Every structure is written in C-alpha cells, then in structure tokens.
Amino acid sequence: MDRSSVHDDFDRARATFRALLGEATDEELRRRSSGTRWNNRQLLFHILLGFLIMRALLALARIVARLPDGAGRGWARLLNAGTKPFDAVNFVGSWVGGTLLPRGAMVVLCDRTVAALHRRLDREDESSLAKGMPYPTRWDPFFREFMTVADLYRFPVQHFDFHREQLSLS
C-alpha cells in the first residue's frame, strides 16, 4: 500500500469538500443533485458519511478477521439481506444530517475525521493492513466480496469521487 498516495487523496478530498461547501450558495445547496433523491447539501453530508463510517468499518474488519472464515461470509450475507433497511437508514440519515447540520459543522467534522484517519493510517503496520473480511457487496458499489484494511482506507475517497460527480453545483 502506498500510504503517501492515500494521505494525498485524503487531503485532496478534504480540500475539495471545504471548497464545495465554502463556495456554494444556499440556493445551489438546496438544488437537487444529479441522479439521487438528495439535494446538494444532503449529498455533501452523505459524502462526509463515507469518511465518518471508517472507524466502524476498520473496527469491524479487525473483529471479523479474528473469526472463522465462515462467520465472516455469513455476516456479509446477513448484511446483504438487510440492504433495503440499510438503504432507508442511509437515505434518511443523509437527508437529516444534510438538512440540519450547519455548513461550518460539516467542515469541522470533515477536518477532524480526515486528521484522525491520517493518524490512524500512520499507526498501521503491514500485518494490520492485510487483515480483512467479507463485505456486503449490495451496500455500496465500492465494496468487494473481501476487503482488507488497506482497501478500506481507499474507500472514502472512492465514495467521495463517485458522488462528487452527482453534485449539481456551478
């Protein structure tokens, strides 16, 4: 894993997120995004969620990696079976967060989360980066059947870049 490129991607996403929120007008943020049911502000919060869930994803990978292989595959199947409730919670959470959380709070939350991910990545050793688990592939287009911790560190920026294209900002 090229840690330097992951760090650079985190910084690029953080700077872009700040710029998008800082430069957009209130009207632009209220405008419907392209290809989602969210407005631009809600989609920006959803993008932020991709970074916020990393702590949980990393912890889950470490726990499941210790279990027998069948347990991890069973867990992924169970999560895939729960895709519809997950999608509903994901939609409502992003709608509520993007509607209620002030812009400045989203920027601060992004800055703190990316800083924490930088620190955490710097503490990882090669053994911990190689650990992983099966993932629910129906939850996100960037989840694969098996993902290592190194793969997970790439996820929030992949998620960011994908959804960035759906924003309908000037």
Side-chain angles (χ1 to χ4, degrees), residues 81-100:
T83 298
K84 284 188 181 192
F86 168 79
D87 287 345
V89 169
N90 186 28
F91 173 77
V92 171
S94 295
W95 189 92
V96 170
T99 301
L100 300 179

Side-chain angles (χ1 to χ4, degrees), residues 15 64 109 114 123 144 147-148:
V64 174
L109 196 53
V114 169
R123 289 191 312 264
R144 296 191 317 266
M147 293 182 71
T148 64

Side-chain angles (χ1 to χ4, degrees), residues 148-167:
T148 64
V149 169
D151 295 329
L152 290 175
Y153 277 106
R154 293 181 189 95
F155 165 76
V157 175
Q158 291 172 324
H159 181 259
F160 175 92
D161 290 338
F162 174 79
H163 286 300
R164 165 69 183 96
E165 296 300 315
Q166 294 175 313
L167 293 167

Side-chain angles (χ1 to χ4, degrees), residues 77-153:
R77 281 193 304 273
L78 178 66
L79 293 177
N80 268 330
T83 298
K84 284 188 181 192
F86 168 79
D87 287 345
V89 169
N90 186 28
F91 173 77
V92 171
S94 295
W95 189 92
V96 170
T99 301
L100 300 179
L101 198 63
R103 283 192 214 207
M106 287 199 296
V107 169
V108 168
L109 196 53
C110 180
D111 287 347
R112 288 181 181 168
T113 302
V114 169
L117 288 172
H118 278 303
R119 289 189 303 272
R120 191 164 185 165
L121 177 56
D122 286 340
R123 289 191 312 264
E124 300 280 4
D125 60 28
E126 293 306 314
S127 172
S128 67
L129 288 170
K131 291 181 169 125
M133 65 174 271
Y135 265 78
T137 55
R138 293 177 60 200
W139 281 30
D140 191 277
F142 299 106
F143 284 174
R144 296 191 317 266
E145 286 188 25
F146 186 89
M147 293 182 71
T148 64
V149 169
D151 295 329
L152 290 175
Y153 277 106

Side-chain angles (χ1 to χ4, degrees), residues 31-107:
R31 185 182 309 145
R32 183 118 178 158
S33 64
S34 177
T36 80
R37 297 184 303 164
W38 293 306
N39 65 31
N40 286 317
R41 185 182 177 120
Q42 294 159 349
L43 181 55
L44 281 163
F45 184 82
H46 176 76
I47 289 170
L48 177 57
L49 277 179
F51 287 90
L52 295 174
I53 65 167
M54 284 301 297
R55 282 186 173 152
L57 292 177
L58 292 167
L60 186 61
R62 285 182 175 81
I63 292 167
V64 174
R66 293 182 181 140
L67 301 174
D69 288 342
R73 286 190 304 273
W75 177 247
R77 281 193 304 273
L78 178 66
L79 293 177
N80 268 330
T83 298
K84 284 188 181 192
F86 168 79
D87 287 345
V89 169
N90 186 28
F91 173 77
V92 171
S94 295
W95 189 92
V96 170
T99 301
L100 300 179
L101 198 63
R103 283 192 214 207
M106 287 199 296
V107 169

